[in-house]
Amino acid sequence: MALILEIARARPAWGCNRIEAMPRLEGRRGSPPTVRKILDRHEMGTRHRRWQALERRASEDAFEPTAEQTASIETQNPAFRERHV
């Protein structure tokens, strides 16, 4: 479960199928519906909610988002970069 949440936070644009594929490469079993249930339980079930969680984390913590994460957030919120300069 922690690995799924970590992947979802690192790659907010990825869907359940793609998130599920990463642990499967390491030999762990799962399914996209299970990934969706885990993400829903942690209020990260939709791409928009994952972006919001990442933006919230970047604004509250001393967390520096990667260039890919910043680009993902900016697709939803163009003012993000201006607030974090």
Side-chain angles (χ1 to χ4, degrees):
M1 180 169 73
L3 179 60
I4 290 170
L5 294 174
E6 181 182 325
I7 294 169
R9 286 184 187 114
R11 311 272 189 201
W14 285 12
C16 294
N17 289 334
R18 201 163 176 192
I19 292 172
E20 183 268 334
M22 295 305 291
R24 193 166 14 115
L25 292 174
E26 296 176 358
R28 297 181 184 183
R29 291 184 165 204
S31 68
T34 302
V35 170
R36 178 61 184 237
K37 287 177 187 176
I38 291 169
L39 294 176
D40 282 341
R41 218 176 297 138
H42 290 89
E43 297 181 1
M44 293 174 55
T46 65
R47 182 178 301 169
H48 184 71
R49 287 205 168 186
R50 289 190 292 276
W51 276 321
Q52 286 177 331
L54 181 62
E55 183 177 0
R56 194 170 36 254
R57 182 175 167 211
S59 65
E60 292 173 356
D61 299 341
F63 166 72
E64 184 68 32
T66 64
E68 182 180 350
Q69 291 171 331
T70 301
S72 293
I73 293 171
E74 287 176 347
T75 60
Q76 294 294 314
N77 184 358
F80 178 77
R81 184 178 298 274
E82 296 170 6
R83 288 195 312 244
H84 291 86
V85 173

